[in-house]
């Protein structure tokens, strides 16, 4: 477990949030599943809820995202945010390097500035420039994010993009050369996977992994609460992992990491 007290380096996954169909139902679901505490936020911020784990911010939950008339609804999903020290410059770099800006830079009170974009391979991600709020206050503890992983059909193209925009590198992981690491300042801060092992038709995306004490019992609880298992608990070199959907359909992973 890592308690975060310093600002995240540029390019580091620093926050995740959920777009849901029913915000209160989602708050109840993740409270029971992962032990979060959260409530619907003030109307001036769209009711956005900052959930906490043992008093530290761990993830955000919002309701349906408003769309323009005639536009399809945004499906329930988890979004990974990468840290920046200049949201406006990052927005420009995204466009200059083949990415697509989906939501322009927006001020979120005094907490920070954000935008949402898609990389050239189609994976959607958020960008967060902290002011008063750096992002998640804990990482790796049961109930908190433990890993963020880019799933893309073109890791090389993705690597060029994220290097140009954030200065990060995608390279084989030292401990597992067959796996690609998302490196910030020479340190692994996430992973990169092709879509080969994803269910057919899965679009490019960033996947959120939450740490748990017991993958099997957490999956059982998820099913009883209306969630769905996409890949059952399976042992890997890094831990026991399961891929699941919440009751609204948002996909995420549960992982009991092996001791380092």
């Amino acid at each position: 477990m890592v308690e975060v007290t310093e600002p995240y380096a540029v390019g580091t996954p620093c926050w995740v949030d959920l777009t849901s169909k029913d915000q209160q139902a989602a708050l109840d679901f993740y409270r029971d599943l992962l032990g979060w505490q959260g409530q619907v936020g003030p109307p001036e911020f769209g009711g956005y809820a900052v959930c906490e784990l043992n008093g530290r911010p761990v993830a955000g939950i919002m309701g349906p995202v408003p769309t323009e008339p005639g536009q399809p609804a945004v499906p329930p999903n988890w979004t990974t945010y990468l840290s920046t020290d200049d949201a406006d410059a990052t927005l420009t770099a995204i466009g200059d390097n083949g990415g697509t800006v989906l939501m322009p830079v927006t001020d979120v009170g005094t907490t920070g500035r954000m935008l949402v974009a898609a990389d050239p391979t189609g994976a959607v991600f958020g960008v967060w420039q902290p002011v008063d709020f750096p992002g998640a206050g804990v990482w790796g503890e049961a109930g908190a994010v433990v890993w963020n992983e880019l799933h893309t059909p073109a890791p090389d193209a993705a690597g060029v993009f994220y290097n140009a925009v954030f200065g990060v590198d995608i390279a084989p992981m030292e401990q597992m050369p067959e796996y690609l690491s998302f490196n910030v300042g020479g340190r692994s801060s996430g992973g990169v996977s092709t879509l080969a092992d994803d269910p057919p038709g899965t679009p490019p995306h960033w996947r959120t992994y939450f740490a748990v004490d017991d993958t099997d019992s957490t999956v059982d609880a998820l099913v009883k609460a209306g969630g769905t298992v996409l890949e059952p608990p399976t042992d890997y070199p890094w831990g026991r992992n399961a891929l699941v959907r919440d009751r609204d359909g948002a996909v995420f992973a549960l992982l009991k990491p092996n001791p380092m």
Side-chain angles (χ1 to χ4, degrees):
M1 183 270 288
V2 176
E3 185 171 0
V4 181
T5 58
E6 299 294 330
Y8 287 86
V10 171
T12 305
C14 64
W15 187 245
V16 296
D17 65 19
L18 172 70
T19 299
S20 66
K21 292 179 181 177
D22 183 329
Q23 186 184 24
Q24 187 59 58
L27 286 165
D28 295 342
F29 177 89
Y30 287 95
R31 176 199 62 207
D32 295 342
L33 189 72
L34 297 175
W36 296 354
Q37 302 84 41
Q39 58 187 3
V40 176
E44 60 265 32
F45 296 113
Y48 190 94
V50 175
C51 298
E52 295 184 342
L53 181 69
N54 300 322
R56 293 164 295 185
V58 66
I61 294 179
M62 69 183 92
V65 175
T67 57
E68 296 294 331
Q71 294 297 312
V74 176
N77 69 94
W78 279 101
T79 299
T80 292
Y81 289 76
L82 306 180
S83 188
T84 184
D85 55 9
D86 188 331
D88 294 301
T90 300
L91 180 146
T92 299
I94 287 169
D96 289 346
N97 289 280
T100 303
V101 175
L102 304 177
M103 188 182 89
V105 176
T106 302
D107 291 312
V108 187
T110 63
T111 61
R113 312 183 75 217
M114 64 166 289
L115 65 98
V116 178
D119 69 27
T121 76
V124 175
F125 63 96
V127 175
W128 180 252
Q129 178 189 338
V131 179
D132 294 338
F133 182 77
V138 62
W139 181 93
E141 179 178 330
V145 176
V146 67
W147 197 242
N148 301 87
E149 187 176 67
L150 171 65
H151 286 236
T152 173
D156 289 344
V160 171
F161 171 81
Y162 288 102
N163 180 265
V165 176
F166 295 100
V168 306
D169 294 306
I170 293 176
M173 181 173 280
E174 185 175 342
Q175 304 92 324
M176 293 187 297
E178 69 279 8
Y179 181 74
L180 294 174
S181 176
F182 191 82
N183 296 326
V184 178
R187 177 182 177 185
S188 181
S189 297
V192 180
S193 174
T194 68
L195 294 172
D197 295 328
D198 287 287
T202 301
H205 64 282
W206 276 87
R207 179 173 297 171
T208 301
Y209 288 70
F210 294 109
V212 293
D213 287 326
D214 186 320
T215 307
D216 296 75
S217 64
T218 307
V219 166
D220 289 344
L222 174 134
V223 172
K224 290 176 182 176
T228 305
V229 179
L230 300 177
E231 295 175 8
T234 303
D235 290 318
Y236 293 97
W238 53 88
R240 189 160 177 80
N241 184 76
L243 185 66
V244 297
R245 277 197 300 245
D246 68 16
R247 59 189 300 165
D248 280 346
V251 176
F252 60 101
L254 298 168
L255 173 66
K256 177 176 174 54
N258 285 336
M260 299 297 291

